[in-house]
Each structure stands twice: as C-alpha cells, then as structure tokens.
Amino acid sequence: MTPKNTEPLLRVENLRVEVPSRRGALTAVDDVSFDIAPGEVLGVVGESGAGKSLTGAAIIGLLEPPLRIAGGSITLSGRRIDTLPYEAMRRVRGKEIGVIFQDPLTSLNPLHTVGHQLVETVRTHLDMGSVEARGRALSLLGEVGIAAAEERIDHYPHQFSGGMRQRVVIALAIAASPRLIIADEPTTALDVSVQAQIIALLKRLGRDHGTAIMLVTHDMGVIAETAHRVAVMYAGRIVEIGSVRKIIDRPSHPYTAGLMASIPRTSGPRGRLQQIDGTMPRLNAIPEGCPFNPRCPKRLSRCRHDRPDLIPSGDADVACWLYLPVSEPTHA
Amino acid sequence: MVAFTIQRLLQSVLVMLTVALIAFALFNYVGDPISNIVGQDTTLADRDHLRAELGLNDSFIAQFARFVSHAAQGNFGLSYQQARPVSQIILEKMPATLELSFTAALLALIVGVPMGIYAGLHRHSWVSQTMLTVSLIGVSLPTFLIGILLILIFAVVLGWLPSFGRGAVVHIGWWTTGLLTAEGLRAIILPAITLALFQMTLIMRLVRAEMIEVLRTDYIKFARARGLTSRAINFGHALKNTLVPVITITGLQLGSIIAFAVITETVFQWPGMGLMFIQAVSFADIPVMATYLVLVGFFFVVINLVVDLLYYVVDPRLRIEREASANV
Ligand SMILES: Nc1ncnc2c1ncn2[C@@H]1O[C@H](COP(=O)(O)OP(=O)(O)OP(=O)(O)O)[C@@H](O)[C@H]1O
Ligand code: SF4
Ligand SMILES: [Mg+2]
C-alpha cells in the first residue's frame, strides 16, 4: 500500500525494548520494524501485553525506567530520534509527534482549565504570545468539535463529559500541528456511543492535515474503517503487516487468521478481538522457536526450534514458516 | 463562595461554644470558685453573699451565657495567682508565643517543602535517601530532648546562642517583638528550630510522598507526551496538585505548633502563653488555664477556617461543584 517513492515519515528498524529482571533482561519488544508514510494510518493490533503500548512509548522516548531501548533505531523524517538527548526529544514530543492516551478522564490536569493546558502546549512549541496562543486554542477547540469554545475554554476538565474530554485531549495532541499522532486505544475508555465520533474526528483530522496516525486498538471494526495498513503484534514481535484489506480478508499468519475469525461478518466489520485458545506467553516464558507455536493449529516441527523472521510474502510481510520464500519440506 | 463561608463560620462558632463549655466547666466545677477567691477565715454568710453576688446561684444556662458573653468581650475574670485580669496577662504573653510559632511554621515550610520536592523528584539520589533517614530521627526524637541537645551544643559547648529567654524586645503598641533586635533574633533561633523540627520533617515527607504519587498520574505522563518542559511539569502541574494536602496538613500543624509550644517554652524559659499555662497549672490558677484553653481552641478554629478557604481556592472541583449546587 505504501507507495515506494515516498520517503517514510517514521521508520522503526529492529526496535528492541528490554526490562531488566532478576534472571537477566526480558525482551518486551523484539526486533520490530515498520514504516509509516506521511498521511498514512497504521493500525496496530494484538492481544493485551503484545507490546503495542511499549512500541509507542519507545517512539516518543517515554519508556519508563527500568524499561529501555536495547537495540534498533527510530527515524522521523530522516532524522534519528531514539538517540536524541532528553531536551531535544522533548521538543519533538508534541511538536512533531502528538500523543493520545486511552483515558481522557485522567489525561487532563484537574487543577487547570482546558484553555490553560492548551495555551501552555501551544506556547511550548510555537513562538506565540498569550493572546495569539489563546486564539489558536479557541480554533483548536472548534476544530475538534467543541461547541461554544469561547465559553468552554475557561472550564475545568471535570466540567466536560468523557467524550468531550477526549476531544480536548485530541486538541492538545494536534496543538502544534504534528505530522504524526500516536493514538493508544483512544476510544477504549469511552461510551460505545461516542467511540465512533472520536474515530471519525481522528480520521478527518488526519485527512485534512495530512497527519499520519499510529492507531493502537483492540477494535477490528475501527481498524477496518480507519487504517490503511495493519501491523499484528504477538509476544513483542510483529507477526504480520500489510494492507488493511489483505489482513482482514486474506490473513496469512495463523494468529492473524485467528483474530479475524472473531469478526462477525454478517453484521459488518465491527467486532472485538476474541480469545484464541490459550493465552499469550508472559515475557519470562516466551517459548523457543515461533512464539505462537504452542497455540498454533498449523504448527510444523521446526516451529518449536527455529524462530521465523518477518519476510515479504506476496502482498504482506509475514513471520511464519508456512510462508517461506524458498520451498522447503513443510511437513515432518 | 459566600454560602460555603457562612457554613464554615457557623461550624466554627459551634466548635468554639463547645470549647467554651469545657472551659466553663473547668472554671466552675474544678474546686470551689468561692474558696479560690476568698481567704480561709471568711464566714459562711459572707461566702453565700459573694456566691449570690457573682451569680453562682443562677441556672447553668444563665451562667454559661454570661461566661460566653464576657469571654466574647475579652473578659475572662481575674487570675487567682496574680489578681490581675486574665486578658491582660494573656495579651502580654501572646506575642511571644505567636512569634515563636509563626517563625517555627515558616521555618518548617521554607525548609520542608523544597526538601520534599527535591526528594520527590530525585528519589533515588543519595541526598534524598540521607534526608529521609535523618528526617526519621526528627520525627522520632521527643521535642524536649531536641531542645536540650541544641542547648547543650550551641549554648553550653559552643556558646554561640542564648539558652533561655526572649532577649531584648521592642514595644509596638501592646505588641512586643523580639524580631527587631539582634539579641531577640539570636534568642529565637534555638527554640524555633526545636519547635519546627518535627513539622519540618513531617512536611518534607508529606510533600515527597505527594510528589511521587502525582508524578505517576496519567496527566503528568500526558504533560510529558505534550513536550512540556520539566519545569512546567514539576512545578506547574505536579507541585500544584500536591498543594491541597500540604496546605491542609501544614495548617493543622500550625495549630499544634501553638499548642505544643508549651514544651518548647518550658525548655527555653520562653515567656509565652505556654510557660504561663504551665505556671498556672502549678498554682491551680483556673481562670488562666480556662482562658488558655479557649484561646488555643480559637486558634485551631481560625486556622481550620483559613485552611478550608484555601483548599477551596486551590481546587476548582470543589469550587465549581459548590457554586453549581449553591445556584440550584
Ligand atoms: N513498566 C514495566 N515493567 C515491566 N514490564 C512491563 C512494563 N510495562 C509493560 N511491561 C510488559 O511489557 C509487555 C508489553 O506491554 P504493553 O503495555 O506494550 O502491552 P500492550 O500490547 O499495549 O497491551 P494492552 O493491550 O493491554 O495495552 C507486557 O508483557 C507487560 O507486562
Ligand atoms: S511459524 Fe509455525 S507455529 Fe508459528 S505461526 Fe507459523 S506455523 Fe504456526
Ligand atoms: Mg497498551
């Protein structure tokens, strides 16, 4: 899907995130590579604990110690950002990468008005006086669909509903017109009735401003409606990445196939990830070979010993011994 | 805001009436007020006469009402020991205690809050660990011991600072202050440190704990993700959110500082209300004791009131919900 002639906005290569533990370092994100093109929406799915949030946190340089990037590189518009010193990376956050977290109820400081928080963010990144910044705050509120912005701007977060607060959070994320937004489950904490509105808003903003979005979600319906491409994560690795139609309609990896089987086709593409038999291994118990092998219905004998890499296979990249570029005996 | 203030004021009045009742009971039912006033050889008839004259035969309610109305006008009767109006004695002693208490509270805040912020922001540094360990000593040593140790080191061994009294004072109207003379300033150092130490460690530990707690919240993470500067995050967002509990505790502590000044004043022979109270106890000078009780109660109530109002200024959730419900 990504046209080869455009340079990627974000390039993540062989990213590895580790947590020190008593018995050596555990790998929470393992050899993850992907690109996001300008204006592209990349959906990231996978069961809880797959490493989706940690990947996002690593990109914005906010892994909480003792978590740390142990390898790989992250490049934004051709500039390496994973090695930037704290102060330089701080300028990237908010300015070039906007972030939206899961819970709008707790993302805003209860003791400051939304206007204060908007103006503060605008003035941190853009060279504006307080009057000009307030003007921008007002137009941001208007843009994310908050009516009577003139009045609402001086209200405190607790005076807004959950959906409205998430709109404020989005306004904060786009305050300095970043080219990339990382949205980590932006609708999970919201009422079902407002989830669609928030997603529609994100989609519109992305389109209007050409903003790329990395959208982490458990909601396959949202993926189907919003994403251009999808990355499927399992046990800290990307197991399959490709265009949204390919991933949803013709999944290659047995794990992706299991995820997609849970979407009720008859009632449209909306549906939640359903548990595949068994559970994802914990970090300290990731099996040898293919991490998915204990749960895999199509397991081969080599799956228990050899770890498959993510390699191109047709119109997607897949990490599974079933999709070898060169033919090898597949049954044992 | 107005409704909130009125409600708090009414509560305060209620508390003061209760304190007054206790003081009044102390006055009238601990010992016999008549024998406290008259000599051994007064006749029974004279005693009865005096009793009637003082209104001691009136109903309980009437007597209590009279006590409250006198107290409200600052009339607390005569000291048994000094045969002078209690109010006069109190007015002489109050400046010393208030000066000592506020100096101690200020010291505790000025030292405790920054130390707490530092320890909260750099909680793994050895400086923070050391402060924490040392503060444990501050919390666990009894006040009089700290006072005596300070006297031993700085007054007896080093001879740098005076060990007792208030030094030279300056009169400003009825108020006397030791803060305007070098001697007075030197004299207040040791007692102020003694009185402040406990509160200082308390405030430091509280601010530290609150900072750590707040720094873990989602809105701080989001503030970081927005690229705000560390200064904006630590002081504009984190510190402000720690203020509510800090104001509450510090305010309440100011009340205890005034109350606990009794010990410090005794150790340093500081001529304040605490020392006066101890002397009153040993002479069974009930009017002085009762007045001290009412006054300390009064300070507590006023401080509580101020704390509540500050609380209300800092936290918009409280403010706006109250306004909303007041408008209904
Ligand atoms: N601070 C931490 N210390 C140790 N391990 C952590 C920490 N944060 C996350 N992990 C581990 O890293 C793994 C990946 O976590 P991550 O939060 O990225 O999962 P996720 O895919 O976002 O899951 P979810 O869908 O539940 O949000 C999990 O196994 C988690 O237990
Ligand atoms: S590599 Fe083997 S175990 Fe892993 S998904 Fe493919 S077939 Fe299943
Ligand atoms: Mg997550």
Side-chain angles (χ1 to χ4, degrees):
Chain A
M1 175 84 188
T2 316
K4 289 284 175 231
N5 53 2
T6 50
E7 191 194 327
L9 174 66
L10 178 77
R11 165 160 284 172
V12 176
E13 281 177 303
N14 311 106
L15 177 67
R16 193 179 159 83
V17 173
E18 287 183 353
V19 207
S21 80
R22 264 172 267 114
R23 268 169 278 147
L26 300 176
T27 307
V29 173
D30 190 3
D31 201 22
V32 162
S33 302
F34 62 90
D35 288 352
I36 302 182
E40 183 182 50
V41 179
L42 175 73
V44 180
V45 298
E47 280 165 295
S48 190
K52 308 182 295 292
S53 297
L54 290 189
T55 303
I59 293 169
I60 57 172
L62 284 183
L63 283 172
E64 282 174 42
L67 288 164
R68 62 181 199 101
I69 295 182
S73 67
I74 300 165
T75 315
L76 185 73
S77 310
R79 174 185 179 212
R80 183 109 185 242
I81 58 170
D82 57 316
T83 48
L84 286 180
Y86 182 89
E87 183 57 22
M89 192 58 204
R90 177 188 70 71
R91 287 176 211 277
V92 171
R93 285 194 287 272
K95 177 83 176 76
E96 294 177 57
I97 307 177
V99 180
I100 300 166
F101 288 132
Q102 180 171 340
D103 194 349
L105 298 187
T106 55
S107 287
L108 300 170
N109 187 336
L111 298 188
H112 290 303
T113 63
V114 302
H116 174 105
Q117 301 184 53
L118 277 163
V119 166
E120 166 189 56
T121 312
V122 168
R123 294 195 65 187
T124 299
H125 298 296
L126 307 176
D127 185 21
M128 282 191 182
S130 53
V131 176
E132 202 185 346
R134 189 178 162 92
R136 179 165 175 89
L138 281 171
S139 68
L140 284 166
L141 286 177
E143 184 160 12
V144 297
I146 289 178
E150 277 285 356
E151 182 194 337
R152 298 296 257 162
I153 190 168
D154 293 319
H155 284 184
Y156 289 90
H158 75 272
Q159 293 168 288
F160 290 80
S161 69
M164 283 296 153
R165 271 190 242 187
Q166 194 63 310
R167 286 175 192 269
V168 173
V169 168
I170 292 172
L172 282 163
I174 63 169
S177 311
R179 281 167 297 167
L180 172 67
I181 291 177
I182 297 180
D184 193 348
E185 306 193 33
T187 56
T188 308
L190 298 176
D191 268 11
V192 180
S193 55
V194 294
Q195 286 183 358
Q197 296 169 17
I198 295 295
I199 290 297
L201 172 65
L202 268 181
K203 219 170 139 176
R204 175 168 63 74
L205 291 173
R207 215 177 35 232
D208 292 355
H209 300 271
T211 314
I213 302 175
M214 175 175 156
L215 178 63
V216 176
T217 179
H218 285 260
D219 191 330
M220 292 310 295
V222 164
I223 291 289
E225 285 165 23
T226 319
H228 301 123
R229 284 193 309 141
V230 184
V232 182
M233 290 190 73
Y234 186 82
R237 302 164 63 95
I238 292 182
V239 295
E240 181 164 9
I241 180 167
S243 77
V244 65
R245 290 268 60 91
K246 150 75 185 162
I247 298 289
I248 289 185
D249 296 337
R250 290 173 289 110
S252 298
H253 196 281
Y255 177 64
T256 315
L259 285 183
M260 297 310 143
S262 66
I263 305 174
R265 297 282 151 177
T266 46
S267 58
R270 182 162 293 275
R272 301 221 143 226
L273 298 192
Q274 198 172 293
Q275 200 89 40
I276 303 165
D277 279 350
T279 54
M280 204 175 60
R282 293 204 294 196
L283 292 187
N284 56 6
I286 295 177
E288 203 192 331
C290 171
F292 187 56
N293 86 70
R295 300 167 72 186
C296 182
K298 298 188 177 169
R299 183 178 59 209
L300 314 171
S301 68
R302 72 178 304 185
C303 300
R304 270 184 256 225
H305 313 292
D306 300 336
R307 184 158 291 191
D309 286 329
L310 191 67
I311 47 172
S313 158
D315 45 3
D317 291 357
V318 187
C320 172
W321 291 127
L322 295 174
Y323 303 91
L324 276 179
V326 286
S327 56
E328 264 183 43
T330 49
H331 285 277
Chain B
M1 183 77 189
V2 176
F4 177 76
T5 314
I6 291 175
Q7 183 195 343
R8 280 290 184 275
L9 276 175
L10 285 178
Q11 281 176 3
S12 307
V13 169
L14 214 64
V15 172
M16 277 318 296
L17 281 177
T18 313
V19 174
L21 186 65
I22 296 170
F24 172 71
L26 188 67
F27 225 134
N28 283 33
Y29 302 107
V30 175
D32 178 8
I34 297 298
S35 7
N36 282 330
I37 297 170
V38 301
Q40 295 281 331
D41 47 356
T42 314
T43 62
L44 270 181
D46 281 349
R47 283 172 187 253
D48 285 343
H49 183 68
L50 189 59
R51 192 179 296 275
E53 203 165 73
L54 288 177
L56 293 179
N57 294 331
D58 295 352
S59 73
F60 176 84
I61 302 285
Q63 288 192 50
F64 181 55
R66 194 161 53 231
F67 174 81
V68 170
S69 104
H70 282 169
Q73 295 163 36
N75 177 359
F76 291 94
L78 293 182
S79 156
Y80 298 158
Q81 186 198 351
Q82 303 189 26
R84 286 198 297 150
V86 175
S87 50
Q88 201 182 332
I89 301 173
I90 294 270
L91 277 188
E92 281 169 22
K93 305 289 184 188
M94 193 155 60
T97 296
L98 290 186
E99 254 177 38
L100 177 61
S101 301
F102 279 97
T103 308
L106 214 62
L107 191 66
L109 271 179
I110 288 176
V111 180
V113 170
M115 286 204 324
I117 294 173
Y118 182 87
L121 291 178
H122 311 275
R123 62 204 190 104
H124 298 297
S125 83
W126 65 267
V127 180
S128 310
Q129 301 296 331
T130 312
M131 284 198 299
L132 225 56
T133 314
V134 173
S135 78
L136 259 185
I137 303 173
V139 174
S140 44
L141 277 188
T143 306
F144 73 88
L145 199 61
I146 292 172
I148 290 170
L149 281 177
L150 287 178
I151 289 177
L152 190 68
I153 297 170
F154 292 100
V156 178
V157 177
L158 296 173
W160 290 351
L161 295 166
S163 65
F164 67 89
R166 213 184 159 198
V169 295
V170 176
H171 289 263
I172 303 172
W174 61 270
W175 188 274
T176 58
T177 177
L179 298 179
L180 295 178
T181 67
E183 200 192 327
L185 283 175
R186 274 160 47 86
I188 205 171
I189 294 176
L190 289 186
I193 291 178
T194 306
L195 193 52
L197 213 57
F198 180 80
Q199 324 294 335
M200 194 189 294
T201 51
L202 198 76
I203 289 172
M204 182 207 129
R205 293 177 150 264
L206 178 77
V207 171
R208 174 184 173 273
E210 288 294 329
M211 276 304 263
I212 289 174
E213 186 73 28
V214 170
L215 286 173
R216 266 200 282 264
T217 59
D218 284 353
Y219 56 81
I220 294 296
K221 287 183 192 152
F222 187 53
R224 289 211 180 91
R226 282 189 276 147
L228 300 188
T229 59
S230 302
R231 171 197 283 266
I233 292 170
N234 294 340
F235 297 97
H237 288 267
L239 185 59
K240 186 160 188 191
N241 276 275
T242 65
L243 280 185
V244 170
V246 171
I247 288 174
T248 315
I249 300 292
T250 317
L252 297 180
Q253 287 306 314
L254 184 60
S256 0
I257 286 183
I258 295 175
F260 282 116
V262 172
I263 298 166
T264 309
E265 288 185 6
T266 311
V267 172
F268 288 91
Q269 291 297 297
W270 187 263
M273 295 188 298
L275 196 59
M276 168 202 79
F277 176 73
I278 294 293
Q279 284 161 356
V281 169
S282 52
F283 281 93
D285 196 342
I286 306 250
V288 173
M289 287 160 64
T291 311
Y292 178 79
L293 189 67
V294 171
L295 211 62
V296 168
F298 179 71
F299 285 140
F300 262 96
V301 164
V302 169
I303 289 163
N304 261 318
L305 196 65
V306 174
V307 166
D308 274 347
L309 295 179
L310 276 181
Y311 207 92
Y312 187 87
V313 170
V314 171
D315 195 333
R317 284 163 294 189
L318 198 62
R319 190 162 69 226
I320 286 157
E321 266 145 39
R322 296 258 179 198
E323 267 160 21
S325 56
N327 290 341
V328 171

